Structure formats: structure tokens, C-alpha cells
């Protein structure tokens, strides 16, 4: 079955370190998204991609970057982790204006 | 002001009750409207979606959209303990979604 997987599921890192969260989908979807979820804010869009070599900033993109070298993967990099980036991160993919499929999430703690 | 406003609750109802969830939005460009359900420590999963004003039913779930008032609702009839989850409204255009903060619902047996 097609799926979308995130790794790691849990990560603790130190302030100032570079961190990369992986997202891999086997749906062959063109569209991929990264969201963060915080209490009281719901899901906020960090970056998104509509295809290979395409990346775009979302509403909370500062301190994050993504790259899209193939259809299946959209890794999210925190250039220099900050305590404000402690959150649950969700990757999603879609092919149209209907359903976006979400991964199980990565719980990141920056200490 | 957020693009999408959703009462975070929490909401606690007895089994069998009707659950009513609402969202308002400010962006008139939104073309499609969705409700996602998220169980604890899981990713959101799509529950309902619609493109137009009016009602859409799927079993015990009814999604309602009023574009003129920029208001959407989700009703859950005959609620069950298994409906206990966080419900997020989402809406968008151009493949991007904007989410509400989510309402946590507990259905008591």
C-alpha cells in the first residue's frame, strides 16, 4: 500500500545544531507540504513543493529550508535549531485539491 | 486576525449526543473545505470535503458550508466514544490548506 513516512518519530537536539527531518511518500504525489503543530495554533504551513526542484515558503518558514530532488522525498532542515522550534512536525502529500495524506509526525524537542 | 478561526473547546458530550463544530474564515478565495480528524499522537486524516455551499452527508457526519457568511460546520450524529478526537477544519485554494486550531471532542460512554 502507498504511504507517507516520517523519520525520526522523536528527536531531541541542542540549540544551534542543524537538524533534518525526513519525509518519504510512495503515492507518487506531486505536492508535498511541511506543517508544524502547536497548541492553540493548529497546523501552520512551513514550506511546500509542487514538484521536483520546486519549493515555496509558507507562513512560518523562517529558520527552515527544504529541497526537492525527486518526487518521493521532501526533507526539512532546521539550519540552527532554536527552542521556539520545539513542536510536532507533519509532512503531507497530495495530487489535487482534495485529500492531503499526512505522515505520523515527528516530535522535535530543542533543549 | 487568523485566516481560519475555530473554537478549541474542549467539548465533552455523552454518547449518542449530536456534536456541533464550527469554523469561520476571512479569505474569500478559499475554494474547498475539509474536516480532518486527528487521534492522539497520530497524523490528521480526512473526514469530509466539499467545494460548494450547502450540506454534504456521509453516514453520521454532515458538513455544512455557507460561503456568503464564511462559515463551515461539522455535525456528528449519534456520537460514539470512538469519535473522541481532535477535529480540524481546513480550507484552501491552489493546493494549499489553511487549518483551524482544532477542537478536542470527548464522547463519554
Amino acid at each position: 500500500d502507498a504511504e507517507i513516512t516520517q523519520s525520526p518519530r522523536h528527536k531531541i537536539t541542542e540549540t544551534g545544531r542543524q537538524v533534518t527531518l525526513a519525509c518519504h511518500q510512495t503515492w507518487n504525489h506531486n505536492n508535498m507540504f511541511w506543517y508544524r503543530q502547536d497548541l492553540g495554533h493548529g497546523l501552520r504551513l512551513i514550506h511546500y513543493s509542487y514538484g521536483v526542484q520546486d519549493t515555496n515558503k509558507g507562513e512560518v518558514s523562517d529558520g527552515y529550508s527544504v529541497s526537492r530532488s525527486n518526487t518521493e522525498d521532501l526533507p526539512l532542515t532546521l539550519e540552527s535549531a532554536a527552542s521556539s522550534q520545539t513542536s510536532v512536525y507533519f509532512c503531507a502529500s497530495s495530487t489535487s485539491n482534495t485529500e492531503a495524506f499526512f505522515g505520523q509526525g515527528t516530535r522535535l524537542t530543542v533543549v | 486576525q487568523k485566516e481560519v478561526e475555530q473554537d478549541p473547546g474542549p467539548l465533552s458530550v455523552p454518547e449518542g449526543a449530536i456534536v456541533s463544530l464550527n469554523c469561520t474564515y476571512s479569505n474569500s478565495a478559499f475554494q474547498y473545505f475539509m474536516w480532518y480528524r486527528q487521534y492522539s499522537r497520530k497524523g490528521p486524516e480526512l473526514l469530509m470535503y466539499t467545494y460548494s455551499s450547502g450540506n454534504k452527508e456521509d453516514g453520521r457526519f454532515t458538513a455544512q458550508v455557507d460561503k456568503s457568511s464564511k462559515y463551515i460546520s461539522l455535525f456528528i450524529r449519534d456520537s460514539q466514544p470512538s469519535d473522541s478526537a481532535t477535529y480540524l477544519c481546513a480550507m484552501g485554494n491552489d493546493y494549499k490548506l489553511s487549518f483551524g486550531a482544532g477542537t478536542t471532542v470527548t464522547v463519554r460512554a
Side-chain angles (χ1 to χ4, degrees), chain A residues 6-99:
Chain A
Q6 294 183 233
S7 61
R9 293 294 311 276
H10 302 272
K11 174 80 176 176
I12 300 174
T13 191
E14 294 178 342
T15 301
R17 291 202 180 255
Q18 184 181 79
V19 177
T20 296
L21 309 182
C23 176
H24 179 81
Q25 53 99 359
T26 58
W27 296 97
N28 199 34
H29 287 165
N30 287 328
N31 308 326
M32 295 186 73
F33 309 86
W34 273 104
Y35 292 89
R36 60 178 288 174
Q37 187 173 36
D38 304 287
L39 200 62
H41 290 280
L43 288 158
R44 291 183 290 174
L45 184 62
I46 305 171
H47 281 285
Y48 59 101
S49 169
Y50 289 154
V52 176
Q53 302 301 330
D54 176 73
T55 61
N56 306 280
K57 294 181 179 180
E59 64 176 297
V60 289
S61 60
D62 286 349
Y64 303 94
S65 63
V66 294
S67 61
R68 187 90 180 270
S69 59
N70 57 51
T71 300
E72 296 80 18
D73 299 289
L74 187 70
L76 177 71
T77 297
L78 286 69
E79 304 294 344
S80 176
S83 57
S84 59
Q85 295 176 309
T86 292
S87 187
V88 181
Y89 291 85
F90 286 99
C91 179
S93 71
S94 75
T95 189
S96 67
N97 286 342
T98 56
E99 182 165 10

Side-chain angles (χ1 to χ4, degrees), chain B residues 29 57 60 63 73 82:
Chain B
E57 279 193 26
R60 297 184 295 110
S73 301
S82 58

